[in-house]
Amino acid sequence: ADAGALAAALQQAGVTLDLAPVVDVVPAGTERANAPIGFWGRQLGSDPAAVEHAAGLVLDALAAHDVQPTLKHFPGLGLVTENTDTSGPVRDAVTGADSPQVDVYRTLLDHDPTAFVMVSSATYPRIDPANPAMYSSAVVDGLLRGTLGFDGVVITDDVGKAIAAGMGRTPGERAVDAVRAGGTLVLTDVQTDLGPMVDALVAAAADQEFATRLDDAARVALVAKVRAGLLGG
């Protein structure tokens, strides 16, 4: 009922994309130590089954009101201690490709294959020890798109946060690296990032392999807009 009311309010306000639900699994008893999710009570449950059930209801409610949902933060922030918005680099040495947190996405994407997926800015050494997830081809192309078979919109977590700037990447490099990893949309809360990001993407497209990847990302985004009835003609 709560999800339906919220979805109806979003629809009435003209909102077509919701960066929710949060589907990170924070084990019971560890909430206060989980800075980005559990500390703020953002989790939908303390075990995969509870999260899958609650998130499925949210997905259905959003769909009923024509609001696009986003599952986040792949492959999971339920086991980290530091907040990826304010600290870094944040590492999760436990979560791997076969972890229960990842299986939640498998279940929920079966439930709603058109949901968007937001990828976290934490690093997962068991999957890719060198790169934050949103810049990792092993995480996005390999695990999410390959193993889980997801072919929809992949959006980064906010790359404009102070921590993103501390990852050794300029705004342009953040955009290029996210698309190169298999991403579709790059999220930033810094308006002045836009120009450098566009310039960097255009420059990188001089390489044919990257140009093809950029075309693919644009196509995935446009297909999602068509599905949502946001493109005329």
Side-chain angles (χ1 to χ4, degrees):
D2 288 343
L6 291 169
L10 291 172
Q11 182 185 42
Q12 185 175 12
V15 174
T16 58
L17 171 62
D18 187 11
L19 298 181
V22 168
V23 298
D24 304 299
V25 181
V26 182
T30 69
E31 294 89 351
R32 294 291 296 177
N34 179 242
I37 310 299
F39 182 85
W40 303 103
R42 300 173 68 193
Q43 72 276 17
L44 291 174
S46 59
D47 65 80
V51 171
E52 290 165 3
H53 174 70
L57 296 176
V58 174
L59 292 176
D60 292 344
L62 291 171
H65 293 277
D66 299 319
V67 179
Q68 173 68 47
T70 306
L71 303 171
K72 65 183 187 183
H73 308 77
F74 188 82
L77 285 179
L79 301 181
V80 303
T81 55
E82 295 178 292
N83 191 332
T84 50
D85 284 343
T86 58
S87 303
V90 175
R91 298 170 70 83
D92 174 351
V94 177
T95 298
D98 56 350
S99 293
Q101 295 216 46
V102 174
D103 287 337
V104 167
Y105 286 86
R106 190 190 313 273
T107 299
L108 292 173
L109 288 171
D110 283 343
H111 185 96
D112 183 359
T114 67
F116 290 6
V117 175
M118 179 183 287
V119 181
S120 90
S121 54
T123 299
Y124 301 82
R126 288 189 58 201
I127 306 172
D128 180 353
N131 299 290
M134 60 189 180
Y135 302 134
S136 169
S137 59
V139 172
V140 182
D141 258 350
L143 179 55
L144 180 56
R145 296 206 183 280
T147 304
L148 269 62
F150 181 64
D151 61 0
V153 172
V154 174
I155 183 171
T156 68
D157 203 346
D158 183 8
V159 303
K161 296 291 186 185
I163 179 55
M167 289 180 180
R169 291 172 169 85
T170 66
E173 289 169 338
R174 295 171 209 168
V176 170
D177 288 352
V179 172
R180 182 174 283 122
T184 312
L185 302 177
V186 181
L187 173 64
T188 179
D189 67 350
V190 180
Q191 187 175 355
T192 53
D193 283 351
L194 178 59
M197 286 180 170
V198 171
D199 291 344
L201 289 167
V202 171
D207 174 75
Q208 186 56 52
E209 182 177 352
F210 184 82
T212 299
R213 181 157 291 256
L214 190 60
D215 284 346
D216 289 342
R219 187 177 300 108
V220 169
L222 291 171
V223 166
K225 287 188 175 186
V226 169
R227 185 183 297 116
L230 299 177
L231 293 183

